RNA sequence: GGGCGCGUGGCCUAGCCAGGACAUGGCGGCAGCCUCCUAAGCUGCAAGUCGCGGGUUCGAAUCCCGCCGCGCCCGCCA
């Protein structure tokens, strides 16, 4: 157990003798280390929260970690023995290193599905939110002891890919692009355009879709040859952001193995099922879905399956391979996710959790690949690199080292700026916000890490059995270090990766205050402070790791 | 028209689920800090009807109702 958790446990243990239903709060740091609000007890005890707090504060004994207890305005405030906390925390970090903040394997298997973009062209910035959220949550869950696999659901039989396929077979378009997703997207764009005004093209593309739904393996193989390079282009972009995906599951799998039809058959026998010709649907009004969308169609009138039906089969398959399923989805999938969830419940199958994110739009409106109103992820990456390179050069660095630093800064800035805001907020993309290298940004945190490295390079640190600190900036920094495992846990239970982003910023910020106030090299407390710097460097690194951002030795 | 989400200083944002301690922090603005471990840093100042109106409560940014604005969805598309 981590030192800060031991403090929390001690409080809970002591409180449990007096009250049940203990809910502790983390108060603002300058007020206390942990607080127990007494407001909810007021009714039951028929006393004011102030009186209750006083009463509880008097009854509670100090302990190994609890140094002081105070009743203030209806709160019982607990103060930690900061000497003990400091010593235990520093030693724990130096011993556990990259593992500090992590938890032992709990054997729970989680599949995180993210990105799953149609392989018909390059990722744009709007979609980039998906892999970054997905990859970060996966990293945090792994660190928290879960057995995590990431999955990309490849839609290999939809309209998008069919249009791409038709385009490459019937058109010949020059393209200067070398990256395959950019090279082939023009075929998709042109095919979509033709489909809109030419009935024959539309029919041909629809025929491709129908053939896929009938499970035509040869055709599916041929289509794969076309979309695979595009998919690889997408994955290459993700790789630059330090994102890789463990497994790829093709949608057609569930048509070929027949599981979609088993699912449809079972659902068709439910009392909620209805038919219009050969089209099968579920009536969802009893589940609170009303209006035009209460009919949830599973098949077409020609008997072929619809996307949503295949999605149900996919989730059943996935549910057999995981204890928990987490899907990262755009907010446009909310209704469909709800429908799939209802169907899975009717079938008494495991239901996935979903993390929805709002769209990233441009100041001039929604992104649209078709209308060319779009910023591609690759463009953002290139621009970020250029700007980072300028900053690096300003600081007199050059060559391979400069390139490496610029790359880490650029990729970090992109990831951080997306992950730091709550997924349900819509983002209007602006270059100056997306590529900010100051303030609440990845480079700010990377810079603090580089400062730690720089100090550690200048002096020899000697490991001891105990360390002492007393400056307020030292204590504040140590308390922040001690709370890292707490935030890992909280981030997992709330499925909110931005908590780690915010934590890393706080930590870097508190380190900067320490750096300002406490001289390390040459001070008579040099060795203790070196231990603190070493521990800080480690925890910044661990939190950056969770965000998929590189910790830099110098910049 | 119906459903879901969002609305916090000029701009962005935390807090909202589990109502209470002076509403968090960043960007931008203004004024400062490099004879001292990297100034991608630090300090100070100005700037807020927590969308609007009701309600519940001793107490509401937080819960409830209504309204307004914005986003997304409402296809036998994916």
């Amino acid at each position: 157990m981590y030192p800060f958790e031991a403090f929390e446990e001690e409080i809970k243990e002591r409180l449990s003798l007096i009250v049940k239903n203990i809910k502790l709060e983390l108060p603002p740091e300058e007020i206390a280390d942990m607080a127990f609000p007494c407001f909810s007890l007021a009714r039951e005890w028929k006393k004011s929260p102030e009186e209750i707090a006083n009463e509880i504060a008097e009854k509670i004994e100090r302990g190994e970690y609890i140094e002081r207890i105070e009743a203030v305005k209806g709160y019982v405030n607990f103060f930690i023995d900061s000497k003990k906390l400091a010593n235990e925390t520093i030693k724990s970090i130096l011993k556990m290193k990259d593992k500090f903040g992590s938890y032992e394997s709990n054997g729970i298997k989680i599949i995180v599905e993210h990105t799953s973009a149609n392989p018909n062209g390059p990722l744009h910035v709007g979609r980039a939110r998906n892999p970054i959220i997905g990859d970060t949550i996966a990293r945090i869950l792994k660190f928290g002891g879960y057995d995590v696999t990431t999955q990309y659901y490849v839609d290999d039989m939809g309209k998008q890919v069919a249009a791409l396929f038709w385009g490459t077979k019937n058109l010949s378009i020059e393209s200067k692009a070398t990256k395959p997703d950019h090279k082939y997207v023009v075929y998709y764009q042109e095919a979509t355009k033709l489909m809109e005004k030419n009935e024959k093209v539309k029919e041909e593309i629809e025929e491709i879709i129908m053939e896929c739904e009938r499970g035509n393996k040869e055709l599916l193989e041929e289509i794969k040859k076309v979309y695979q390079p595009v998919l690889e282009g997408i994955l290459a972009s993700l790789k630059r952001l330090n994102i890789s995906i463990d497994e790829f599951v093709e949608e057609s799998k569930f048509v070929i193995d027949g599981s979609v039809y088993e699912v449809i058959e079972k659902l068709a026998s439910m009392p909620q099922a209805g038919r219009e010709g050969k089209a099968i649907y579920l009536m969802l009004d009893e589940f609170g879905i009303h209006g035009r969308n209460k009919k949830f169609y599973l098949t077409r009138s020609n008997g072929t399956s619809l996307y949503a039906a295949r999605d149900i089969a996919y989730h059943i398959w996935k549910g057999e391979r995981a204890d928990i399923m987490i899907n990262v989805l755009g907010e446009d999938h909310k209704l469909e996710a709800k429908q799939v969830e209802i169907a899975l419940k009717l079938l008494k199958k495991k239901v996935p959790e979903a993390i929805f994110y709002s769209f990233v739009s441009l100041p001039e409106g929604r992104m649209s690949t078709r209308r060319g109103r779009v910023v591609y992820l690759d463009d953002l990456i290139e621009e970020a690199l250029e700007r980072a390179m300028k900053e690096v050069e300003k600081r007199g660095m050059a060559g391979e080292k400069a390139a490496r630093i610029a790359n880490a800064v650029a990729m970090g800035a992109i990831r951080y700026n997306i992950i730091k805001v709550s997924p349900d907020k819509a983002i209007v993309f602006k270059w100056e916000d997306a590529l900010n290298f100051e303030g609440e940004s990845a480079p700010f945190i990377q810079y603090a890490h580089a400062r730690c490295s720089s100090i550690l390079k200048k002096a020899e640190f000697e490991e001891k059995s105990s360390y002492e600190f007393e400056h307020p900036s030292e204590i504040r920094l140590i308390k922040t270090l001690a709370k890292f495992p707490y935030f890992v846990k909280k981030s997992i239970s709330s499925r909110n990766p931005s908590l780690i982003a915010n934590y890393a910023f706080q930590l870097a910020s508190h380190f900067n205050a320490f750096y300002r106030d406490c001289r390390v090299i040459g001070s008579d407390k040099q060795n203790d402070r070196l231990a603190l710097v070493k521990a800080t460097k480690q925890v910044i690194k661990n939190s950056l790791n969770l965000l998929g951002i590189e910790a830099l030795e110098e910049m």
Side-chain angles (χ1 to χ4, degrees):
Chain A
M1 197 187 294
Y2 292 104
F4 196 74
E5 290 178 323
F7 170 59
E8 218 181 322
E9 274 311 303
E10 206 175 272
I11 295 169
K12 281 186 187 163
E13 213 174 89
R14 271 143 223 261
L15 276 174
S16 68
L17 303 173
I18 308 169
V19 284
K20 33 187 191 291
N21 249 334
I22 299 160
K23 265 184 189 140
L24 294 176
E25 269 177 26
L26 199 58
E29 345 166 346
E30 58 282 3
I31 291 177
D33 297 312
M34 202 49 95
F36 176 68
C38 303
F39 305 99
S40 56
L41 291 173
R43 198 161 314 216
E44 200 186 320
W45 289 30
K46 296 201 164 63
K47 282 179 195 165
S48 75
E50 287 78 6
E51 286 175 288
I52 296 170
N54 283 328
E55 208 172 295
I56 292 175
E58 250 169 63
K59 277 191 203 155
I60 291 197
E61 311 243 320
R62 295 170 35 172
E64 216 186 318
Y65 280 96
I66 304 170
E67 185 184 64
R68 197 157 54 85
I69 301 140
E70 220 175 55
V72 184
K73 295 184 191 170
Y75 287 90
V76 182
N77 286 339
F78 295 88
F79 297 85
I80 197 162
D81 179 339
S82 49
K83 281 211 167 74
K84 183 172 171 66
L85 178 78
N87 198 235
E88 300 288 324
T89 300
I90 299 291
K91 283 200 289 188
S92 172
I93 296 166
L94 297 183
K95 191 170 137 217
M96 295 179 78
K97 300 194 169 71
D98 287 349
K99 295 265 188 307
F100 180 81
S102 72
Y103 290 87
E104 293 283 310
S105 168
N106 58 22
I108 299 172
K109 187 152 177 39
I110 301 186
I111 293 175
V112 176
E113 184 208 326
H114 70 79
T115 312
S116 301
N118 288 320
N120 61 338
L123 240 34
H124 61 63
V125 168
R127 294 211 198 296
R129 223 172 164 175
N130 195 319
I132 293 172
I133 292 169
D135 182 69
T136 308
I137 194 86
R139 285 166 185 268
I140 297 168
L141 290 166
K142 257 182 226 173
F143 200 61
Y146 292 87
D147 176 6
V148 181
T149 305
T150 53
Q151 243 173 43
Y152 187 126
Y153 185 51
V154 185
D155 179 9
D156 60 342
M157 49 188 298
K159 208 190 265 176
Q160 262 65 290
V161 165
L164 171 74
F165 178 73
W166 185 91
T168 58
K169 293 296 153 194
N170 295 281
L171 307 169
S172 176
I173 308 171
E174 283 292 315
S175 169
K176 299 175 289 291
T178 50
K179 201 162 171 288
D181 44 347
H182 292 269
K183 192 164 140 190
Y184 289 113
V185 70
V186 290
Y187 288 98
Y188 163 74
Q189 285 166 325
E190 193 54 32
T192 316
K193 249 185 251 165
L194 286 173
M195 189 168 70
E196 271 168 20
K197 49 188 184 207
N198 186 328
E199 200 54 37
K200 192 168 159 283
V201 174
K202 194 176 166 206
E203 275 168 26
E204 282 180 32
I205 290 175
E206 274 166 5
E207 183 49 32
I208 295 169
I209 298 169
M210 291 307 157
E211 264 312 298
C212 290
E213 282 164 13
R214 288 183 200 111
N216 184 331
K217 276 191 212 170
E218 292 73 28
L219 180 61
L220 283 164
E221 276 306 310
E222 246 188 285
I223 290 176
K224 183 167 184 172
K225 280 184 202 140
V226 172
Y227 78 70
Q228 191 64 31
V230 176
L231 180 59
E232 274 157 24
I234 291 172
L235 297 178
S237 304
L238 294 182
K239 191 77 210 149
R240 300 181 79 180
L241 289 172
N242 203 10
I243 296 168
S244 59
I245 291 153
D246 300 322
E247 292 174 358
F248 295 82
V249 182
E250 286 155 15
E251 188 177 337
S252 59
K253 168 183 170 60
F254 305 99
V255 172
I256 292 168
D257 71 9
S259 56
V260 191
Y261 295 102
E262 280 170 41
V263 167
I264 290 167
E265 210 178 301
K266 268 187 219 154
L267 285 169
S269 67
M270 299 279 171
Q272 292 83 357
R275 278 166 202 268
E276 280 167 18
K278 276 165 97 179
I280 299 166
Y281 63 85
L282 293 173
M283 197 58 139
L284 300 183
D285 46 3
E286 67 179 277
F287 302 100
I289 292 179
H290 303 286
R292 287 194 293 256
N293 47 15
K294 66 185 173 190
K295 278 185 189 172
F296 174 34
Y297 284 90
L298 302 167
T299 63
R300 294 192 179 83
S301 47
N302 66 10
T304 59
S305 67
L306 258 5
Y307 171 84
R310 300 189 293 263
D311 208 12
I312 296 166
Y314 168 49
H315 279 91
I316 292 170
W317 177 85
K318 215 166 32 163
E320 284 160 3
R321 284 156 181 79
D323 302 302
I324 298 170
M325 294 176 268
I326 297 177
N327 298 336
V328 181
L329 300 169
E331 62 176 336
D332 55 334
H333 281 71
K334 275 185 181 176
L335 175 62
E336 199 251 337
K338 184 80 194 150
Q339 291 167 332
V340 168
E341 184 187 316
I342 292 168
L344 288 168
K345 278 185 180 155
L346 286 173
L347 293 164
K348 302 199 166 29
K349 299 289 184 185
K350 246 174 261 168
V351 169
E353 294 175 25
I355 298 174
F356 293 104
Y357 62 91
S358 289
F359 284 112
V360 180
S361 60
L362 294 172
E364 52 273 34
R366 191 176 174 172
M367 282 195 207
S368 159
T369 308
R370 234 185 20 194
R371 298 162 78 173
R373 193 169 66 195
V374 67
V375 176
Y376 289 121
L377 178 57
D378 290 317
D379 300 336
L380 176 62
I381 289 173
E382 287 310 319
E383 180 73 21
L385 271 177
E386 243 171 72
R387 294 194 191 197
M389 200 60 203
K390 260 184 213 152
E391 292 297 317
V392 172
E393 280 165 357
K394 242 198 254 174
R395 291 163 178 80
M397 279 176 275
E400 206 246 324
K401 188 170 86 179
R404 227 184 43 241
I405 292 169
N407 186 64
V409 164
M411 301 312 142
I414 292 172
R415 284 192 72 136
Y416 195 88
N417 275 284
I418 293 212
I419 208 68
K420 75 174 178 185
V421 313
S422 169
D424 50 21
K425 295 248 188 191
I427 295 177
V428 177
F429 180 84
K430 292 180 194 107
W431 287 102
E432 57 273 30
D433 293 340
L435 297 177
N436 171 32
F437 297 157
E438 284 166 9
E440 203 176 351
S441 70
F444 178 95
I445 301 161
Q446 290 168 313
Y447 185 70
H449 184 268
R451 271 181 158 176
C452 291
S453 289
S454 169
I455 293 172
L456 292 168
K457 264 180 241 161
K458 291 190 164 69
E460 202 60 42
F461 162 66
E462 196 189 312
E463 205 145 337
K464 294 196 302 179
S465 59
S466 85
Y467 303 96
E468 270 188 49
F469 305 94
E470 52 182 350
H471 193 284
S473 295
E474 291 176 318
I475 303 294
R476 196 158 78 118
L477 177 56
I478 289 163
K479 283 183 179 173
T480 307
L481 293 172
K483 285 174 195 165
F484 180 54
Y486 175 94
F487 281 101
V488 170
K489 264 197 172 168
K490 206 173 158 192
S491 174
I492 287 172
S493 62
S494 62
R495 304 278 192 262
N496 183 358
S498 69
L499 261 39
I500 298 298
N502 189 258
Y503 170 83
F505 175 69
Q506 286 302 323
L507 177 56
S509 184
H510 291 169
F511 173 74
N512 284 335
F514 160 81
Y515 183 87
R516 176 193 69 218
D517 296 334
C518 303
R519 178 82 203 173
V520 178
I521 309 291
S523 108
D524 52 358
K525 299 187 178 102
Q526 176 170 307
N527 200 249
D528 292 297
R529 287 182 174 169
L530 282 172
L532 178 52
V533 172
K534 202 169 178 200
T536 302
K537 183 184 173 208
Q538 183 69 60
V539 179
I540 292 177
K541 187 178 163 207
N542 293 5
S543 50
L544 284 176
N545 269 157
L546 293 183
L547 301 173
I549 297 170
E550 197 185 332
L552 290 165
E553 294 299 318
E554 61 180 308
M555 59 191 285

